[in-house]
Amino acid sequence: MSACCDHTDHNATDPRVRLALIIALVINLAMFIIEMGGGAFAQSVGLQADAIDFLGDSMNYGLSLAVLGMAAAWHTRVALVKALAMLVFGLWVWAMIVVHWLAGTVPEAPLMGGIAFMAMLANILCGVILFRFRAQDANMASVWICTRNDVLSNIAVMIAASGVWVSDSGIPDLTVGALIGGLAISGGIQVLRMALAERRLRVDIEDASSVRSQPLSGD
């Protein structure tokens, strides 16, 4: 992997990588606006959580663009920031679940399901675009993990919308919100482990290089 040693990742400067991230960034920003507005109108915590996730992914893609062509150490640092952001997002979603549960919110099921389906199509498109770059380093792996989690979240929101429609209760919406938060926390832990492993490996390589470069002392 390119992030195993401290050098500029020339593969990351591939214009295909940059274009893929720019397209994903635009798609995610557009879906954040659509889903946040729709989630507020439908009173769905699942949609609002998914909308914030789109905003987080937009920041994710923006950070990935910022470090393209930079030293591999920066890729690892950005991956650490992303991991922490995913963990914070998951905890925020769980807090919102408590708020909506206390309020007894019942979302508009048809609107909730329709917007979730649109969001799923957007995330599938991003996943197809980014799939080939997922094994490049922890930074790009984090991008792929976020996109994969988003598709699962969208499917869960559509299932929850059906549950809301059948039961006339907000419990399915709160349940899917909990699942989205759990996916964010799980993904954050996964990215954090990958980034820390890359950093440890790079430190080991740098230490070994430092030892080899030291002059031998005479007797």
Side-chain angles (χ1 to χ4, degrees):
M1 294 173 66
S2 60
C4 291
C5 52
D6 193 9
H7 66 281
T8 299
D9 186 358
H10 296 288
N11 291 331
T13 61
D14 187 332
R16 293 174 300 176
V17 178
R18 185 174 297 276
L19 179 60
L21 289 172
I22 291 174
I23 293 173
L25 173 61
V26 172
I27 291 173
N28 277 263
L29 280 176
M31 284 308 305
F32 162 69
I33 296 171
I34 293 171
E35 200 167 24
M36 179 57 76
F41 187 80
Q43 295 186 312
S44 168
V45 65
L47 284 180
Q48 290 179 22
D50 205 36
I52 295 297
D53 196 21
F54 270 116
L55 178 61
D57 287 347
S58 299
M59 297 172 61
N60 194 347
Y61 299 135
L63 287 170
S64 297
L65 282 166
V67 299
L68 287 182
M70 295 177 65
W74 282 101
H75 290 228
T76 303
R77 294 185 187 111
V78 167
L80 288 171
V81 172
K82 293 175 184 178
L84 294 176
M86 292 167 73
L87 292 172
V88 170
F89 164 73
L91 295 174
W92 177 86
V93 169
W94 284 353
M96 289 297 296
I97 289 170
V98 175
V99 173
H100 282 265
W101 178 71
L102 293 175
T105 305
V106 179
E108 295 289 336
L111 182 59
M112 178 181 170
I115 294 177
F117 180 74
M118 183 187 305
M120 183 187 68
L121 294 180
N123 279 315
I124 289 175
L125 177 58
C126 289
V128 170
I129 293 171
L130 297 167
F131 182 79
R132 70 173 69 180
F133 308 114
R134 72 192 187 285
Q136 184 168 285
D137 55 23
N139 178 47
M140 292 303 296
S142 70
V143 172
W144 164 250
I145 289 170
C146 286
T147 303
R148 180 203 63 190
N149 287 354
D150 290 345
V151 172
L152 297 176
S153 298
N154 300 145
I155 294 173
V157 172
M158 286 189 290
I159 295 173
S162 299
V164 170
W165 183 74
V166 171
S167 66
D168 194 27
S169 167
I171 297 299
D173 183 50
L174 300 181
T175 301
V176 77
L179 290 174
I180 292 173
L183 281 173
I185 292 173
S186 175
I189 292 173
Q190 184 178 352
V191 174
L192 183 63
R193 288 176 175 172
M194 293 173 62
L196 290 176
E198 285 187 358
R199 188 172 66 174
R200 285 194 299 268
L201 180 57
R202 186 170 55 254
V203 169
D204 290 342
I205 293 174
E206 289 174 351
D207 289 344
S209 299
S210 177
V211 170
R212 287 195 301 267
S213 63
Q214 290 179 358
L216 296 177
S217 59
D219 293 332

